[in-house]
């Protein structure tokens, strides 16, 4: 089921005792492993039972379903927020009480501190009672710090787990919804949007859960602190609190701005990820048509818009952080100035109680409260976006599968259906027919007639506007474009069914896969990539067919299953698969359809007798070569087939849930390699210099130092002022004394100057840091994009789409959002720490004694921690790719999954990928808790040492010194561990940068342009010469073309045929240099390897077998570079018989196409791609099975047009339909990558031993027709 070892480690947390849980001892074995070697996925502990994706998802889904029901009753919109609150409020509220207690201990600390400073002020060596009391206060202070440390980490651990659970549950719901989306809903969303929901939107839950409680804890704590301040210094405290209130009001307004920016950014990110996703999927088309530069421009401009919004929200964040940095200092300043103006006297003990009380507010009110506002406002937008997605239409079971009754399989009465509610023309109109057990129904008709739509209606994908569809029995479906899962060939065929060797071998034989599997190294255990590499299109089609046949269903719906295979194989498939599966006496019925209306119906022989010309719609068939019950059965029908068969199994079996017969679907998505060791200095250097040059970076460093110096001098200055105030209070000096007044005024002026510079430098530093880092993210994204587009095609075959998208969505998201914030926070805290320690040591030199060992312990702890934490973070990044890859793969094969009723199995695979990611995520949370707990406990010991040390050495100290050092020590407790944690977090986040930089350094294909440019008129003749050419897709791969030699004359029309997998499409890959060929290929005397790839590729036009269209208008799809006039575009469409269809669309040429062009049929998409090739008007045209999904009559008209229009060009036609190559002057037959024979069609047909003759053995009539045509 999963790409992890079978012996998953049970989570030691389940058996851990109270102390082990409190101090996270149970993680120690993992740290030991991480210290010795790189962590592997097998080292991770299994996810806790209560955190399983399935369990969490189903729980939240239940609440959401109730909410949807309630909303429907009350005729309101359902609220996802309500469902989330109902699901999680109990556990969340309980942990909220911890925050309350934790912040309570913070407020008590200053009281103990004040009592200790009072003792120093009133110091009397003879009073032992006062000394004992002071020791009691010191002990109380130490206990407070220790209790705070324990509560803080308990709270954070549990709250982050709630966030994780919510995220996992919502992801489960998003994927579940994606599997159920109706066809009309699929048009309203895109793969890019769903990936963005799963990567960036759900991330808000992790963040918001952590800070949400501070929305009430912050203000409550502010009220308590105000009361305590009033008791200490009277009403002057109100001035300081006024600063805080103004700030909180400002931040509430900023919160609204955050939410509007977030929704705009998210929409732009959706667009960018969708475009990148389309780019990866259509990379071959982009490379063949030389569109890389226009895609770079398109995505870069989308990114520029996105960055402008991100920069604005980053500046707001910068202001938030700057206010956190400076606000306590402003509050203290305003309070003491007011106090001075009111002529109140104050003691040193009171000065430092006020300072520590304001410091206590610092985290909860000035950091966590604005963060909570920001996160809540962004989370509301994300919840809204997710709710909109969850509210999209689902596929309704418009006709439940009925138990098979032996009488009838499919019964359609007066069926009319539309694609989309807006369309006026019905896709299918007034269709009625029945299919009984054992019957074969062939549906034929021109391109866009509605053949695939009919199958969609039978599958329930197309909702009916009138009529009835009844389906009795189970369905197996083969889509027109073959879909394969990442996994082995065998797992693709079994598709969750039990392996039955005899049946399996029968299926392989029936689907003509034996020869192909022998060519693969590991036969049917060969792993297939996401795009089906290393299989050819024909092989993928037969694997899809084999999957359907192995399902052993009652009804088979085959959508153009033979289009990608050659005549011989299609005959074999028809006889061995289709005919053999019918099993009972049967007759075939053919219907001719045009524009969704039945034109004719009857058996094949009836058509022949009545002289109706369906010859042009059918490839000509003849009587069976073996005696068959009904001689009228057509042999090759290259259009949709509906086949129903009498099943010997109990008929209700398929409708009941299948028991015993199924097992898990095997999806193999290999984990990508990850780097090891620490993130190097080079990564940091590249990251910073990407955003600004050295002069700006040096300026930033200087601003940082200036901000810090002014900040710390303020504390230092306060100590002098406090001593002076104490002297006044106790009458040591008099206020009337001019010298004293001068000194006090001088103190206040400097103090004001320091406060103002602290604020200014703080803001400058914040904004500048964000500016540089967000710019770095933009530069890196653009470099990644360009490098990925310059990578060879092999890179895209080897890397699943989810893996590449992960870097462009999640990793870039981290660089945009989290990294600049965490980095600035770290720099601020780190400099603060150095300043604080410097001031402490300067004030009381002996504090250096505990500080030095403390720093050494912290340094080694951090190093030990990072060895493990880094690997866990890298595993978290790589396990996340699997979730995206599985999603992208499922969306491509949605119809097949639904037809096979495999939604539940795919949901289970998704949940298992989520669980694997949760394992890594949970360890990431726990490792940082482990570090934080130990750091805070060590800090608590440090506070104890300093507090008792101050009491022992009380005779040598002034109250100002004691107050300063103790208040700074308390500041240190949270700050020390926060700094070490943030530094570790920065390094963990830098892994996203490292992964981005890794993608700026990929292996490149040959340069796009060389200094030597081919002449503009080249190639003027179109002469192609292959000389001993060998070709393989990768250095270590097998040869797919061997020793190929051939000469193609100028303006020659050359046909290339061979069975599927013979290497025909590889010939195109070699011409376009998707991988560098050995030997030589010359075009008009110039070696293809001597010119740049763009110069080579833009001089050849190719119409590929797999049609690729992009979101955008029809016009943009035909001519993305705007090089042609409207008239030329219409002419090209006319040549491929599409002009009428496009003229009937509501927006004509400006009609918007859905993602991948899903609002056109596959045949129509092929024709658009052919029109694209025709527009380029090159001397060499390659048609690679480009009309395989088009009906024969349209195909014949197109071939005729191409012959006329391209008479002066060299045309290479690769085909399975032999009628496509009979107008060619020469034909080459390939087999297993080598050339078997070349000759004129007539000569090859005369030679009964030739491979070409054998391939064309579709009966005497066909050969006669071919021979006649080729004369």
């Amino acid at each position: 089921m999963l790409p992890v070892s079978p012996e998953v480690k049970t989570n030691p947390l389940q058996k851990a005792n109270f102390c082990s849980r409190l101090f996270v001892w149970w993680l120690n074995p993992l740290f030991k492993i991480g210290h010795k070697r790189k962590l592997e996925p097998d080292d991770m502990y299994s996810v806790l039972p209560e955190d399983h994706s399935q369990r969490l998802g189903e729980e939240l889904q239940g609440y959401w379903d109730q909410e949807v029901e309630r909303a429907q009753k009350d005729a309101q919109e359902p609220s996802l927020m309500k469902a989330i609150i109902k699901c999680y409020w109990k556990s969340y509220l309980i942990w909220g009480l911890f925050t309350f207690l934790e912040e309570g201990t913070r407020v008590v600390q200053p009281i103990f501190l004040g009592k200790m400073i009072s003792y120093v002020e009133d110091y009397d060596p003879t009073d032992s009672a006062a000394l004992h009391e002071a020791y009691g206060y010191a002990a109380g202070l130490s206990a407070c710090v220790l209790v705070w440390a324990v509560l803080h980490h308990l709270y954070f651990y549990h709250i982050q787990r709630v966030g994780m659970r919510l995220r996992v549950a919502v992801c489960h719901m998003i994927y579940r919804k994606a599997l159920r989306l109706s066809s009309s809903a699929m048009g309203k969303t895109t793969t890019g949007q769903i990936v963005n929901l799963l990567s960036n939107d759900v991330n808000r839950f992790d963040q918001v859960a952590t800070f949400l409680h501070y929305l009430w804890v912050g203000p409550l704590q502010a009220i308590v602190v105000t009361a305590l301040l009033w008791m200490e210094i009277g009403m002057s405290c109100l001035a300081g609190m006024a600063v805080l209130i103004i700030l909180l009001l400002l931040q509430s307004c900023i919160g609204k701005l955050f939410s509007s920016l977030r929704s705009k950014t998210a929409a732009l990110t959706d667009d960018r990820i969708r475009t990148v996703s389309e780019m990866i999927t259509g990379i071959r088309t982009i490379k063949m048509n030389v569109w890389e530069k226009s895609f770079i421009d398109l995505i870069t401009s989308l990114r520029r818009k996105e960055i402008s919004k991100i920069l604005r929200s980053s500046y707001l964040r910068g202001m938030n952080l700057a206010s956190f940095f400076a606000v306590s200092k402003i509050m203290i300043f305003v309070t003491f100035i007011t106090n001075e103006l009111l002529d109140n006297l104050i003691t040193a003990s009171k000065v430092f109680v006020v300072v520590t009380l304001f410091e206590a507010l610092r985290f909860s009110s000035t950091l966590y409260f604005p963060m909570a506002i920001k996160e809540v406002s962004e989370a509301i937008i994300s919840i809204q976006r997710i709710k909109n997605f969850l509210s999209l239409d689902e596929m309704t079971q418009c006709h439940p599968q009925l138990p098979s009754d032996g009488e009838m399989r499919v019964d359609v009465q007066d069926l009319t259906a539309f694609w989309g509610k807006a369309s006026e023309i019905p896709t299918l109109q007034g269709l009625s027919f029945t299919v009984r057990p054992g019957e074969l129904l062939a549906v034929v008709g021109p391109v866009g007639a509605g053949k695939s739509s009919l199958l969609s209606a039978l599958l329930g994908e197309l909702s009916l506007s009138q009529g009835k569809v009844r389906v009795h029995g189970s369905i197996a479906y083969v889509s027109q474009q073959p879909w394969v899962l990442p996994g082995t060939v065998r797992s693709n065929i079994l598709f969750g069914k039990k392996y039955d060797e005899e049946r399996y071998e029968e299926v392989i034989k029936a689907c003509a896969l034996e020869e192909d599997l022998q060519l693969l190294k590991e036969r049917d255990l060969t792993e297939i990539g996401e795009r089906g590499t290393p299989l050819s299109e024909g092989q993928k089609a037969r694997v899809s067919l084999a999957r359907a046949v192995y399902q052993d269903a009652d009804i088979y719906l085959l959508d153009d299953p033979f289009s990608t295979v050659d005549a011989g194989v299609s005959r074999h498939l028809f006889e061995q698969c289709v005919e053999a599966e019918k099993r009972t006496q049967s007759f075939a019925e053919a219907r001719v359809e045009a524009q969704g209306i039945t034109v004719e119906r009857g058996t094949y022989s009836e058509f022949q007798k009545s002289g109706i010309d369906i010859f042009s719609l059918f490839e000509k068939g003849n009587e069976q070569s073996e005696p068959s019950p009904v001689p009228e059965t057509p042999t090759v029908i290259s259009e949709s087939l509906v086949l129903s068969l009498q099943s010997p199994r109990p008929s209700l079996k398929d409708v009941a849930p299948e028991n015993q017969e199924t097992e898990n679907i095997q999806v193999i998505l290999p984990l990508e390699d990850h780097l090891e060791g620490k993130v190097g200095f080079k990564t940091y250097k590249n990251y910073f210099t990407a955003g600004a040059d050295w002069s700006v970076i040096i300026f930033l460093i200087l601003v940082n130092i200036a901000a810090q110096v002014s900040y710390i001098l303020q504390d230092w200055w306060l100590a002098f002022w406090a001593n002076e105030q104490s002297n006044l209070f106790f009458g040591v000096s008099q206020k009337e004394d001019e010298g004293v007044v001068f000194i006090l005024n001088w103190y206040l002026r400097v103090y004001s100057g320091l406060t103002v510079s602290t604020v200014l430098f703080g803001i400058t530093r914040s904004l500048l840091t964000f500016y540089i880092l967000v710019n770095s993210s933009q530069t890196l994204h653009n470099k990644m994009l360009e490098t990925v587009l310059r990578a060879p095609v092999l890179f895209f075959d080897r890397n699943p789409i989810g893996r590449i998208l992960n870097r462009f969505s999640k990793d870039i998201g981290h660089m945009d959002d989290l990294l600049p914030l965490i980095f600035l926070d770290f720099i601020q805290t780190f400099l603060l720490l150095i300043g604080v320690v410097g001031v402490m040591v300067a004030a009381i030199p002996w504090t250096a004694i505990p500080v030095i060992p403390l720093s050494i312990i912290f340094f080694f702890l951090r190093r030990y921690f990072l060895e493990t934490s880094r690997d866990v973070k890298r595993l978290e990044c790589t396990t996340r790719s699997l979730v995206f890859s599985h999603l992208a793969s499922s969306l491509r094969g949605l119809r097949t999954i639904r037809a096979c009723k495999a939604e539940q199995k795919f949901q289970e695979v998704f949940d298992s990928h989520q669980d694997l990611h949760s394992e890594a995520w949970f360890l990431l949370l726990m490792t940082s808790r482990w570090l934080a707990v130990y750091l805070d406990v060590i800090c608590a010991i440090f506070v104890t040492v300093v507090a008792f040390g101050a009491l022992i050495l009380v005779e040598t100290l002034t109250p100002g010194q004691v107050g300063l050092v103790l208040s700074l020590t308390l500041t240190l407790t949270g700050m020390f561990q926060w700094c070490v944690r943030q530094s570790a977090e920065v390094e963990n986040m830098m892994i996203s940068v490292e992964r981005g930089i890794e993608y700026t350094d990929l292996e490149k294909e040959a340069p796009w342009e060389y200094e030597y440019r081919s002449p503009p008129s080249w190639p003027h003749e179109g002469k192609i010469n292959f000389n001993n050419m060998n070709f393989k897709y990768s250095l270590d791969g097998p040869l797919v073309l061997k020793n190929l030699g051939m000469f193609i004359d100028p303006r020659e029309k050359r046909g290339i045929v061979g069975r599927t997998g013979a290497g025909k499409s590889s010939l195109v890959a070699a011409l376009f240099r998707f991988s560098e060929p050995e030997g030589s290929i010359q075009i008009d005397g110039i070696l293809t390897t001597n010119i740049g790839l763009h110069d080579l590729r833009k001089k050849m036009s190719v119409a590929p077998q797999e049609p690729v269209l992009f979101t955008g208008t029809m016009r943009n799809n035909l001519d993305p570079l705007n090089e042609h006039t409207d008239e030329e575009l219409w002419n090209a469409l006319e040549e491929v018989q599409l002009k009428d269809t496009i003229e009937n669309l509501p927006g004509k040429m400006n009609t918007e196409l859905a993602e991948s062009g899903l609002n056109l049929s596959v045949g129509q998409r092929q024709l658009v791609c052919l029109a694209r090739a025709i527009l380029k008007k090159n001397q060499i045209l390659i048609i690679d099975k480009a009309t395989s999904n088009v009906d024969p009559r349209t195909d014949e008209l197109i071939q005729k047009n191409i012959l006329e229009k391209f008479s002066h060009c060299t045309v290479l036609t690769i085909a399975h339909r032999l009628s496509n190559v009979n107008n060619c002057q020469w034909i080459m037959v390939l087999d297993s990558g080598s050339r078997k024979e070349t000759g004129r069609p007539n000569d090859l047909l005369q030679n009964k031993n030739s491979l070409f003759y054998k391939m064309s053995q579709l009966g005497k009539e066909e050969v006669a027709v071919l021979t006649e045509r080729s004369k």
Side-chain angles (χ1 to χ4, degrees), residues 31 42 57 93 98 105 111 259 285 315 358 461 501 535 583 623 629 1038 1130 1142 1161 1163 1176 1197 1250:
F31 278 98
D42 303 354
L93 199 64
F98 270 71
T105 58
I111 298 169
S259 56
T285 302
Y315 287 154
F358 276 131
E461 296 274 346
E501 193 173 353
L535 304 182
R583 298 192 193 156
E623 281 77 16
W1130 283 116
I1142 305 298
S1161 75
K1176 284 176 81 175
L1197 287 169
S1250 77

Side-chain angles (χ1 to χ4, degrees), residues 157-183:
Y157 156 64
H158 283 288
I159 283 295
Q160 283 177 314
R161 252 185 82 188
V162 172
M164 174 184 97
R165 286 174 176 182
L166 176 54
R167 173 173 49 79
V168 168
V170 172
C171 287
H172 170 100
M173 285 168 67
I174 291 172
Y175 181 77
R176 178 180 179 275
K177 182 72 182 185
L179 289 181
R180 288 169 162 70
L181 286 179
S182 70
S183 303

Side-chain angles (χ1 to χ4, degrees), residues 412-417 428-432 454 457 464 466-467 469:
V412 175
Q413 297 300 329
D414 192 26
L415 161 67
T416 299
L428 300 168
Q429 199 174 354
L431 297 185
S432 301
L454 175 60
L464 321 179
Q466 69 178 65
V469 173

Side-chain angles (χ1 to χ4, degrees), residues 186-197 199 266-282 286 295 298-299 302 306 781 801 805 808-809 1109-1113 1116-1117 1152-1157:
M186 284 300 275
K188 291 178 194 160
T189 182
T190 60
T191 311
Q193 189 196 5
I194 302 174
V195 166
N196 195 14
L197 289 179
S199 64
L268 289 166
T269 311
D270 285 348
D271 277 356
R272 175 176 61 83
I273 294 174
R274 186 208 67 225
T275 313
V276 171
S277 159
E278 286 189 341
M279 173 195 92
I280 300 164
T281 320
I286 291 172
F295 263 83
L298 172 66
I299 294 169
L302 283 172
E306 183 189 5
H781 173 275
I801 184 168
L805 270 185
F808 279 98
S809 58
L1109 299 183
F1110 303 101
T1111 311
T1113 61
N1116 287 353
N1117 267 288
E1152 286 285 334
L1153 297 186
E1155 190 175 23
S1156 313

